[in-house]
Amino acid sequence: MLRVETISKNYETSEVRTHALSDVSLTVGEGEFVAIMGPSGCGKSTLLNILGLLDRPDGGRIELLGEDVSRASEHELTRLRRAAIGFVFQSFNLVDELTVAQNVELGLLYRGTSARERRERVALALDRVGMPHRARHLPKQLSGGQQQRVAVARAIVSDPRLILADEPTGNLDTANGEAVMDLLQQAVGQGTSVVMVTHSLSQADRADRKIQLLDGRVVSQTQLGA
Amino acid sequence: MLRSILSSTRGQLARGRLYAVVTLAGLALALAAAIVTGLFVRQQHAYENFIPGYERIFRMTGTVAQPGQPERVSAVTPSILARALAARSDRIETIARIYQDNPVVRARADAPPIRAQGFVWADPAIFEVLPLASVSGQLAGALAQPDTVAVSQSSARRLFGGAPPRGAAIEIVGADGAVRRLRVTAVFADLPARTHLDLQFVASGLGAASPLARADASPVPTINLPILTYVRGKPGTRAADLQPALDDVIRPFQAMAAASGTKVGGYALPIADIHFGPPDDSPHGKPSVDPAVVMAIGAVGALILLMASTSYVALMTARAGRRGVEVAVRKACGAGQGQLIAQFLGESLLVTLVALILGMAIVELVLPAVNGLLGLSLAFDLTREPGLLLPLLAVWLVIGVASGLYPAFILSSLRPMAALGGGATGLSAPAWIGRTMVIVQFATLTGLLVAAITVYRQTDFAIDRALGAGRGPVLTVATQCRSGLAQAVRELPGVRRASCSAAGAFNLAPHGAVTAINREGQRFTPGFVEVDPYFFALAGLDPLAGRTFAPSRDSDVRRGEVIINQTAARHFGFASPQAAIGQPLGISLQVGPNPPTTPYTVIGVVRDASASVLEPAGELIYSAARPEWGVLAVETSPAALSDVRARLGWLWEAMGDSGPLEARLLSQIEADRYRTTIVQGRVIAACALVALVIAAMGLFALSAFSADRRRKEIGIRRAMGASPGEIVRLLLWQFLLPVLVACAVGLGAGYAVMRHWLEQFVARTDLPVWLLAGVAGATVLVAILVSSAQIRAAARGHIVDALRYE
């Protein structure tokens, strides 16, 4: 499903060069739930952005759905992102000016889905995350937990092959965090691969595999619940 | 505190340099435009106020309304009016006449002669009526002796190279070569542009050489000489106070004119009202100006300022929305609300002051060019007129305080934790402010574009209708027509046609009038001009029926054959131009109750060629004769123009009049006729250009700000699979929607206003749909060009950075 080989990423300023990732290799299988852990600044979010085709590595190879995307054009990356990937961010990243339904619809809008089908799938997704009654609300009218459930609905509405979640429970209380984890596990149960960055050991333990990063390198990979 | 304001302002400007430059430059430009239009309006309302006691100086004005014709207003008065009025009114302090002339003058026998513009013969009391500023000599009494003259400073410089030496004189060279000396007794300061007076040489009307003296000596009162009568009333005199005496003088003329159904009248026109008064048909008269147009130009200046100010206030307010955290930190550090209000108001006043200073600098830089382009003499000198600072300070305070209101009173009232906890989210100014700003700016822009283009089209339309339009360049020279000059000119290489005809035929002077009787026995007074056989071909007046005069048929003159225009044919009672051919006309060359008539026969009918699109065409009769004095018109080709001009000069030396050759292009004379409209068009076009720049800057700044504000949203949409192109289209559409609304508003308003403006013209252009569509298209194109760069940059930005953006 997803394979990265010896990717690296550096950030440079005029004074300093930071190695965000060095020779990172990993694979994510179909319907697999992978948790990435590590201390702040170890490169977790950078890795997730590269896996989500939001950023490009400086070196190495990325293969998504059997397709080498290391040197794909921006247009090609957009097409793949649109077709196969859903995102859940720590800070929700809902568009303030759009309603809940319109935010969820964003996951379909750029795929050329018909308006009727979009309506149906948005309703279904909101139903799955328990937010159908909030469809016409604006994000600022929701609690943090509700906003993140909307973000999950937006990620799953298009039935992506891969969901990338960057500390999805980082801004939530325990109860809401567990609810969001349940939603992600439901998605995995339906065959979607999920890669999640988290600081929480207990949440990482709900994944199939746990990858430990330190200073931009993979230091360990642990298969869980086998 | 001041240091804090200064450093904070510097920091704010440095944080978004492009944004700061664009908003500041837009406001500065608008302030400059408002200052210039303000100066223009002020100057237009300050006509004649440099003359001491101008409030009680009047020019006598006559009105004539022929049957079925609109009333015509004339500044030309009978020669006897001054004496008659002075004898009848006790409200008159002084009265004096001027006779407008343009003789050939020179400083001495060996000096080059010049055609004297602004030359008048005047009663000695003229400088008591119009007390001009003296540069040397005493103006009061300067004309007390015959053969004396007072000259303007610039004319003295032109003739004598500076101040005239003691005992200096100018020589008037007559058409017959006779020379008359006029002793220079005084020099007066050049008149400013804001006057209807054209005075360069004021000669004593007492001498035998003076046409004023000749008119006074005539046993029959003259009514059609270019004599203007000015009255200086006693203190407190109003125009109405002079009316009874004027009515008393006019009464006999009214009775005489009534016999032919003509109504004549008169009134005293305050000289301050001449500029905005009815058109002045005297030979040296200047076109009058519509006060509504001047006010409209002032309103446009104010609108531009309003447009830039709202844009500036909206953008500064929007930008202030990002300073919530700064407010919280300042409060956490102990700043009170009062201090924050002072901080934000101080900043906005400081930034606005920078814009004002820039605007004043722009005015200083562009004013000479503006004066040159528009033929104005606007001055912006704060050292001479410190009072100008007051409105500028008021504008500065209003804009400065308005742009600081939001941060000063809303942001400063925030609780620190609200801002620190939520960042700047929710503190941004409402989006409708930006949209409203775009609508106001682009509606103003499209309205001004419609106005500017319509004024240009109407001017072109008017010039295209003029005589000789569409032909090659036509040089005109005032000269005697009975010399062989015209024939000699026709034989010059490069000359296509040449005609020497009455100036009135070319609409370069009023038509002489005759009395005519139509087929129903009604009297009317058509114009009557003498033309040579070459006139019609040169003027482009092909016959609608019959023929024009033939060069080979001198019998046209002998047989009393005439050509009439369409309007004359209608008023004579002919059903069609064809019906007039071969018909006799009863015409008397005298004006009066029962003048003897001379039989004439119509041989042709030509189209109307009115002098101006402002007036309906009058009845005109063309007689085949070479006038004693007229205009030699020479048609050539653009390529041969300079050669023909040079050859004409040589021919003039050999067989022309005694004065210098002064050849003017007919097209230039026509352009001068519409100078007021052209100036108005240029002012409106300049305002439209400023509006375009301001609207473009405003949209640029708004698009930059909005793209920045929506950076995170763009990142989210990109992460959701939107391509940069889709983002560009989405944002562009959102930007263009208010522009489209603005186009609808601006085009509607522009169309309504300009339709109303066009109605003042008897002959006018139209406002086609393609023009409105073109303006809308150009406006939308500008909006796309201006906003797309920022939007494209934002849409192609780094997604990860955008998602992290707060």
Side-chain angles (χ1 to χ4, degrees):
Chain A
M1 158 77 202
L2 176 66
R3 178 194 298 273
V4 296
E5 291 175 3
T6 61
I7 59 167
S8 58
K9 180 75 179 176
N10 303 311
Y11 293 112
E12 284 183 49
T13 65
S14 55
E15 292 171 354
V16 65
R17 185 175 196 197
T18 307
H19 299 288
L21 294 175
S22 299
D23 292 331
V24 172
S25 299
L26 59 89
T27 57
V28 179
E30 291 276 358
E32 188 182 15
F33 190 173
V34 176
I36 298 174
M37 296 194 70
S40 293
C42 72
K44 303 186 296 293
S45 293
T46 301
L47 176 60
L48 204 69
N49 289 334
I50 289 172
L51 297 181
L53 312 182
L54 298 176
D55 204 356
R56 289 173 184 273
D58 294 333
R61 186 168 183 275
I62 309 172
E63 198 177 284
L64 179 65
L65 300 171
E67 194 176 335
D68 183 1
V69 297
S70 310
R71 290 181 185 175
S73 66
E74 190 59 41
H75 177 74
E76 193 62 17
L77 294 180
T78 299
R79 185 188 61 77
L80 276 168
R81 215 164 41 235
R82 179 187 296 173
I85 306 175
F87 291 91
V88 181
F89 303 99
Q90 179 182 2
S91 54
F92 324 137
N93 278 343
L94 300 178
V95 180
D96 293 337
E97 289 78 15
L98 303 182
T99 63
V100 163
Q102 287 168 332
N103 266 288
V104 176
E105 193 183 22
L106 279 182
L108 297 168
L109 200 62
Y110 302 108
R111 295 176 182 225
T113 313
S114 70
R116 186 179 167 186
E117 188 182 344
R118 287 206 303 270
R119 271 198 306 277
E120 289 170 359
R121 292 178 72 162
V122 166
L124 197 64
L126 285 175
D127 206 36
R128 279 172 65 184
V129 301
M131 297 286 290
H133 57 297
R134 296 287 198 175
R136 292 186 178 181
H137 287 214
L138 291 171
K140 65 183 176 190
Q141 296 171 299
L142 307 180
S143 68
Q146 288 172 321
Q147 287 193 46
Q148 193 61 304
R149 279 195 274 165
V150 173
V152 173
R154 184 177 64 188
I156 62 175
V157 72
S158 57
D159 290 332
R161 303 283 295 276
L162 174 65
I163 290 176
L164 299 167
D166 190 359
E167 299 195 44
T169 61
N171 284 345
L172 304 180
D173 57 30
T174 308
N176 277 310
E178 286 302 313
V180 168
M181 287 303 297
D182 290 345
L183 291 171
L184 290 176
Q185 275 199 312
Q186 279 175 28
V188 171
Q190 290 172 353
T192 303
S193 305
V194 173
V195 178
M196 176 183 72
V197 165
T198 182
H199 281 293
S200 165
L201 268 175
S202 63
Q203 285 170 1
D205 285 343
R206 294 176 69 166
D208 300 322
R209 186 151 49 102
K210 194 162 62 178
I211 296 174
Q212 191 75 33
L213 283 185
L214 186 65
D215 296 335
R217 294 174 185 277
V218 175
V219 292
S220 70
Q221 293 199 42
T222 313
Q223 201 70 31
L224 301 167
Chain B
M1 187 66 181
L2 185 62
R3 188 179 294 175
S4 168
I5 291 172
L6 282 171
S7 60
S8 177
T9 306
R10 199 175 55 220
Q12 285 297 319
L13 294 178
R15 194 176 298 170
R17 276 185 199 151
L18 180 64
Y19 185 89
V21 166
V22 166
T23 45
L24 266 180
L27 183 60
L29 196 59
L31 283 164
I35 291 171
V36 172
T37 50
L39 291 173
F40 174 74
V41 172
R42 194 179 69 129
Q43 192 214 38
Q44 294 292 305
H45 283 90
Y47 264 64
E48 322 297 354
N49 71 358
F50 66 95
I51 302 174
Y54 72 97
E55 310 92 334
R56 53 189 173 104
I57 303 175
F58 307 90
R59 189 179 72 183
M60 295 301 116
T61 305
T63 59
V64 179
Q66 291 173 2
Q69 295 286 305
E71 182 180 85
R72 287 175 186 267
V73 177
S74 174
V76 170
T77 53
S79 58
I80 60 158
L81 179 66
R83 202 176 306 151
L85 263 184
R88 285 170 172 79
S89 176
D90 60 355
R91 298 300 303 159
I92 295 174
E93 188 175 284
T94 326
I95 191 163
R97 302 163 299 164
I98 61 174
Y99 181 106
Q100 296 171 314
D101 202 354
N102 61 340
V104 174
V105 302
R106 64 190 182 199
R108 52 185 185 280
D110 60 342
I114 59 166
R115 177 77 61 185
Q117 303 295 329
F119 190 107
V120 299
W121 303 90
D123 290 327
I126 191 68
F127 291 120
E128 291 165 40
V129 178
L130 304 169
L132 305 181
S134 169
V135 174
S136 72
Q138 290 291 324
L139 285 174
L143 309 179
Q145 299 298 318
D147 299 328
T148 51
V149 66
V151 299
S152 72
Q153 199 170 10
S154 58
S155 295
R157 206 176 298 125
R158 194 171 163 202
L159 283 174
F160 304 107
R166 180 178 287 274
I170 63 169
E171 294 180 350
I172 297 180
V173 185
D176 55 359
V179 175
R180 292 181 177 83
R181 281 173 60 84
L182 302 179
R183 188 165 48 87
V184 178
T185 50
V187 177
F188 55 89
D190 287 337
L191 273 56
R194 55 178 204 278
T195 178
H196 75 287
L197 296 165
D198 181 13
L199 299 180
Q200 296 292 334
F201 302 87
V202 183
S204 172
L206 297 177
S210 161
L212 262 184
R214 285 204 299 273
D216 287 341
S218 168
V220 181
T222 53
I223 59 170
N224 55 357
L225 294 175
I227 294 173
L228 312 183
T229 304
Y230 288 88
V231 168
R232 186 178 185 85
K234 290 179 178 169
T237 300
R238 294 166 301 132
D241 298 334
L242 302 171
Q243 197 61 42
L246 192 56
D247 288 343
D248 199 29
V249 175
I250 294 172
R251 206 163 288 124
F253 293 94
Q254 286 174 322
M256 205 159 54
S260 62
T262 302
K263 291 179 183 170
V264 296
Y267 55 89
L269 181 65
I271 57 167
D273 293 349
I274 291 174
H275 184 58
F276 289 135
D280 176 1
D281 64 353
S282 63
H284 295 184
K286 294 180 179 179
S288 70
V289 172
D290 185 350
V293 173
V294 172
M295 288 317 294
I297 288 170
V300 165
L303 194 61
I304 285 176
L305 183 59
L306 182 71
M307 179 176 147
S309 311
T310 50
S311 161
Y312 175 75
V313 170
L315 290 167
M316 295 304 272
T317 302
R319 199 168 148 82
R322 304 192 65 83
R323 299 180 67 181
V325 173
E326 178 196 331
V327 170
V329 170
R330 283 182 186 273
K331 280 200 159 184
C333 293
Q337 191 174 351
Q339 288 166 312
L340 287 173
I341 289 172
Q343 165 90 32
F344 286 123
L345 282 181
E347 278 181 35
S348 57
L349 283 169
L350 191 60
V351 174
T352 312
L353 184 62
V354 171
L356 180 63
I357 291 169
L358 279 174
M360 287 159 61
I362 292 171
V363 172
E364 287 288 344
L365 284 174
V366 303
L367 209 50
V370 169
N371 281 332
L373 181 71
L374 304 180
L376 300 171
S377 58
L378 306 178
F380 183 61
D381 189 345
L382 290 173
T383 55
R384 282 189 180 180
E385 293 183 278
L388 285 173
L389 266 178
L390 283 176
L392 294 177
L393 287 176
V395 167
W396 168 58
L397 279 175
V398 169
I399 299 175
V401 169
S403 60
L405 278 180
Y406 177 79
F409 292 97
I410 307 296
L411 282 187
S412 67
S413 64
L414 283 177
R415 284 181 296 116
M417 284 318 294
L420 286 174
T425 311
L427 295 176
S428 300
W432 65 263
I433 291 181
R435 282 197 293 272
T436 307
M437 179 197 92
V438 171
I439 291 173
V440 170
Q441 289 185 336
F442 277 82
T444 307
L445 171 63
T446 47
L448 283 175
L449 284 175
V450 170
I453 293 171
T454 307
V455 173
Y456 269 99
R457 277 170 55 82
Q458 176 62 16
T459 311
D460 275 354
F461 173 82
I463 291 172
D464 281 351
R465 283 174 61 92
L467 284 173
R471 313 232 156 197
V474 176
L475 286 165
T476 60
V477 185
T479 183
Q480 299 177 78
C481 286
R482 291 179 186 169
S483 67
L485 182 64
Q487 184 55 41
V489 167
R490 264 191 289 278
E491 289 163 13
L492 286 177
V495 171
R496 289 178 179 167
R497 299 177 185 87
S499 163
C500 199
S501 302
F506 293 101
N507 292 325
L508 301 180
H511 306 135
V514 294
T515 302
I517 302 169
N518 70 11
R519 305 181 107 193
E520 291 162 359
Q522 293 170 327
R523 287 171 189 277
F524 64 106
T525 49
F528 190 89
V529 291
E530 295 172 320
V531 297
D532 71 7
Y534 305 94
F535 167 78
F536 294 97
L538 187 141
L541 292 175
D542 297 328
L544 299 171
R547 62 175 176 86
T548 56
F549 302 126
S552 57
R553 295 174 68 163
D554 286 342
S555 56
D556 288 342
V557 183
R558 278 200 311 276
R559 293 195 305 213
E561 292 178 337
V562 293
I563 293 168
I564 59 177
N565 71 355
Q566 263 179 298
T567 301
R570 206 164 44 246
H571 282 178
F572 272 113
F574 298 117
S576 67
Q578 285 76 13
I581 305 305
Q583 298 299 313
L585 301 179
I587 297 172
S588 170
L589 299 182
Q590 296 171 30
V591 178
N594 288 301
T597 58
T598 310
Y600 283 93
T601 306
V602 180
I603 61 160
V605 178
V606 295
R607 71 171 170 87
D608 294 334
S610 60
S612 155
V613 289
L614 280 163
E615 302 161 16
E619 311 91 352
L620 192 57
I621 300 171
Y622 298 94
S623 162
R626 284 192 182 83
E628 184 179 350
W629 186 261
V631 168
L632 171 64
V634 183
E635 184 194 340
T636 177
S637 64
L641 179 61
S642 58
D643 284 347
V644 167
R645 197 189 277 269
R647 291 189 183 110
L648 187 59
W650 301 332
L651 211 54
W652 184 265
E653 295 258 320
M655 55 191 302
D657 299 346
S658 53
L661 172 69
E662 289 179 6
R664 293 190 70 197
L665 283 169
L666 192 57
S667 58
Q668 187 55 49
I669 295 171
E670 288 299 328
D672 285 350
R673 198 191 297 278
Y674 298 105
R675 186 175 166 272
T676 305
T677 311
I678 291 170
V679 167
Q680 289 166 359
R682 285 180 181 166
V683 170
I684 295 170
C687 288
L689 185 66
V690 172
L692 172 69
V693 173
I694 290 170
M697 283 178 159
L699 189 64
F700 179 84
L702 186 71
S703 62
F705 176 78
S706 297
D708 185 53
R709 196 168 64 91
R710 298 179 69 176
R711 209 165 142 191
K712 187 160 189 172
E713 178 196 336
I714 291 167
I716 295 168
R717 288 182 183 273
R718 291 283 309 277
M720 295 299 118
S723 67
E726 285 166 322
I727 298 288
V728 169
R729 281 194 291 278
L730 172 77
L731 296 187
L732 209 50
W733 170 246
Q734 289 176 357
F735 273 112
L736 288 185
L737 205 55
V739 173
L740 292 174
V741 172
C743 280
V745 172
L747 291 179
Y751 181 81
V753 170
M754 294 320 289
R755 272 292 296 269
H756 180 70
W757 180 79
L758 282 172
E759 279 169 11
Q760 69 177 300
F761 299 100
V762 173
R764 52 184 174 258
T765 185
D766 53 357
L767 269 168
V769 173
W770 64 259
L771 189 149
L772 303 178
V775 168
T779 307
V780 170
L781 188 65
V782 166
I784 290 173
L785 287 175
V786 167
S787 56
S788 61
Q790 296 294 321
I791 292 172
R792 283 169 64 183
R796 291 180 177 174
H798 202 270
I799 304 174
V800 175
D801 291 342
L803 289 170
R804 285 194 192 123
Y805 187 75
E806 289 293 349

